Amino acid sequence: MIRLAALLAALETAADPVPPLARYLRAAPPPDAAAAIALLLGTRPRRTLTPAALRAAACRQAGIPDWLFDDSAAVAGSVAEAIANLLPWPDPQGELPLAGLADRLAGADADGVLALLAPLPPPARLVLIRLATGTFRTTLPAPVIARALADAFGADPAAIQLRLAGWRLSDGIAPLTSAQSTPHGPRAFAALRPFAGPTGAAAGWLAIRPPGGPRLHLIRRDGQGQIWAEDGHLLTDTRPDLHPLLHRLPDATVLELAGPPGAVQALDLLDGQGADAPYARRHDRLSQICAGLLAPVPRIAAPDWPALDHHRTASGLWLRPGTAAPADPWHHWPAPLRRIDAVLVHAELSPGGQGIAALTFALRAGNALVPVARTTDGLPPEDLADLARWIRAHATARFGPVRELPPVRLFRLAYQSAEPAPRRKAGLWLADARILHPLPDHRPDQIATLDSLRGPGA
């Protein structure tokens, strides 16, 4: 339990959870390592008692009134932390194995839980209290745990993740860390890089609209299929909509798909018959493999770069040379920035009230002003400082750090696209908005209208 408490403390501050988890797995006894993996995957002991019951027993054992405990909990930050520090300091300090903890907690009353807590230091007590009262919440994604196991024991992370999908605590850690690899691990996804600009003839490139959802790999080998997400998650059981295609795939075939559920399209053929052909021919092969189930992502035909640029609306284009191999990168050619004149209506001040955390801009919708963007990007520090002084002097209402402002200061904004936002009053929001410059000579009646964002090319 002491090792687990140290691991959880390290996970709270680690930028990458893999190294601290791998260190724990190497140092912990195998039964404890297996129990920790189960915990981090979300398998927890059944709640033994309520926090209130444990609190009452701790107060009774320590001989303190409820009001004193409540004051202590307010200082400590939680009931669990107050209990962990209320018990006498252990002398000598003991350890409690994580393996078998569920059996020890099963049926234990409040005094029994306090007896388990007694030999532990406060950080380990805090973890045990949360496990006993059902308030333990720490989890890690399966891909992270697989990488940590691979780091600790030198196994294949893809194989470990496949084994985790059907693993149970009773299996122990040995089946997870076998050195035997798997033929069904995920392939690396092709990189997505910024487009450096037109080179060569446009006819030598293939262009598509950017997929509106995550990229997936469908893998079929040795009669078995797997569905992997770009973030490393195994989705075979959670994407039944793709099972018909998965079962149809010829053996030794890997497809790349993209798009949200219900609108998935085939993006590339990575392995299988025809996978060694240039991308243009692989794209044609996708039509044969997916016929009747999915359509290949549509290609955008254009005779030259100006014509292709004409299609670069909304989210831009993904480009690839027609000769590209499966591992070659895609190139994102973003949509050209659009411009619109909006009025400043709200400002959120930084802590202390001197700086600006965010500015909200609005457009006209009839006689009303509706917010469409929130940003400070683009304004230099000296302009932000001048604007902060004006905001403090002219705010018409306050809502915590937010100041409501008279709609008299106009700004020209640049933005990538107007994205649907059903929960917002305007029904849309400006993506990647930034401030180009103020418009001191513009009048409030020169604010752009919301309808101007709904027309063609918005």
Side-chain angles (χ1 to χ4, degrees):
M1 190 65 64
I2 295 174
R3 281 196 186 98
L4 178 63
L7 168 63
L8 297 175
L11 291 177
E12 288 182 1
T13 58
D16 181 0
V18 169
L21 179 54
R23 287 194 296 271
Y24 171 87
L25 294 171
R26 281 191 290 266
D32 280 9
I37 291 169
L39 277 178
L40 295 173
L41 286 172
T43 303
R44 304 183 182 96
R46 189 182 299 273
R47 188 173 78 168
T48 304
L49 74 173
T50 65
L54 189 60
R55 169 190 179 279
C59 289
R60 184 176 65 253
Q61 187 179 99
I64 65 171
D66 289 347
W67 67 265
L68 183 55
F69 181 90
D70 292 341
D71 285 354
S72 300
V75 173
S78 69
V79 169
E81 292 183 71
I83 295 174
N85 288 281
L86 177 65
L87 301 178
W89 187 265
D91 186 20
Q93 179 176 292
E95 175 61 297
L96 180 66
L98 188 56
L101 180 63
D103 294 335
R104 295 187 187 90
L105 290 176
D109 59 12
D111 290 330
V113 173
L114 290 177
L116 292 174
L117 293 171
L120 299 176
R125 289 174 180 171
L126 180 60
V127 176
L128 180 56
I129 290 168
R130 289 173 173 163
L131 289 170
T133 58
T135 56
F136 186 88
R137 296 288 184 266
T138 303
T139 59
L140 289 174
V144 170
I145 294 175
R147 286 165 47 212
L149 282 163
D151 189 339
F153 300 103
D156 176 13
I160 292 173
Q161 189 171 344
L162 285 172
R163 295 165 189 155
L164 281 172
W167 181 79
R168 298 291 180 270
L169 174 57
S170 58
D171 299 335
I173 199 169
L176 293 176
T177 57
S178 167
Q180 182 179 1
S181 64
T182 173
H184 304 294
R187 285 181 56 117
F189 283 77
L192 180 62
R193 296 176 180 169
F195 184 49
T199 56
W205 292 74
L206 291 177
I208 64 170
R209 300 283 181 205
R215 289 191 286 174
L216 307 172
H217 281 175
L218 270 65
I219 300 175
R220 188 159 190 84
R221 293 197 179 103
D222 299 330
Q224 298 182 6
Q226 306 289 343
I227 302 174
W228 291 89
E230 192 170 2
D231 61 6
H233 283 83
L234 182 64
L235 303 181
T236 310
D237 295 334
T238 59
R239 292 301 300 268
D241 57 311
L242 298 177
H243 287 182
L245 177 58
L246 187 61
H247 296 321
R248 177 196 285 185
L249 290 182
D251 205 47
T253 299
V254 180
L255 292 188
E256 181 166 306
L257 311 182
V264 178
Q265 296 175 314
L267 191 60
D268 200 357
L269 172 64
L270 307 182
D271 274 333
Q273 184 180 356
D276 55 351
Y279 180 65
R281 288 168 54 192
R282 296 200 307 275
H283 189 276
D284 294 336
R285 172 72 175 140
L286 290 174
S287 300
Q288 303 171 13
I289 296 175
C290 304
L293 295 177
L294 288 181
V297 61
R299 292 184 290 185
I300 298 172
D304 50 36
W305 287 109
L308 193 57
D309 185 38
H310 181 72
H311 293 278
R312 195 165 53 104
T313 58
S315 52
L317 296 173
W318 280 17
L319 303 174
R320 218 177 194 186
T323 57
D328 289 343
W330 288 94
H331 302 268
H332 184 216
W333 196 11
L337 290 177
R338 295 159 174 80
R339 301 183 179 194
I340 199 163
D341 296 344
V343 65
L344 178 62
V345 290
H346 295 105
E348 180 180 340
L349 300 183
S350 303
Q354 298 304 306
I356 298 175
L359 299 170
T360 301
F361 298 90
L363 301 182
R364 284 189 294 117
N367 294 323
L369 293 173
V370 290
V372 295
R374 189 169 184 264
T375 185
T376 58
D377 291 346
L379 273 188
E382 57 273 18
D383 288 356
L384 278 172
D386 290 342
L387 186 57
R389 287 190 287 271
W390 181 87
I391 289 168
R392 290 192 294 272
H394 294 86
T396 58
R398 299 185 177 194
F399 309 96
V402 177
R403 302 293 184 264
E404 185 176 289
L405 304 170
V408 295
R409 297 194 64 151
L410 277 66
F411 291 79
R412 182 154 293 161
L413 307 181
Y415 64 97
Q416 197 75 56
S417 60
E419 301 292 340
R423 295 188 178 182
R424 297 190 181 274
K425 186 176 181 181
L428 50 79
W429 199 250
L430 301 186
D432 299 323
R434 60 183 290 108
I435 302 165
L436 293 179
H437 54 80
L439 300 170
D441 299 328
H442 280 51
R443 304 182 309 274
D445 61 359
Q446 293 176 282
I447 302 167
T449 65
L450 186 61
D451 289 340
S452 66
L453 291 179
R454 296 191 170 114

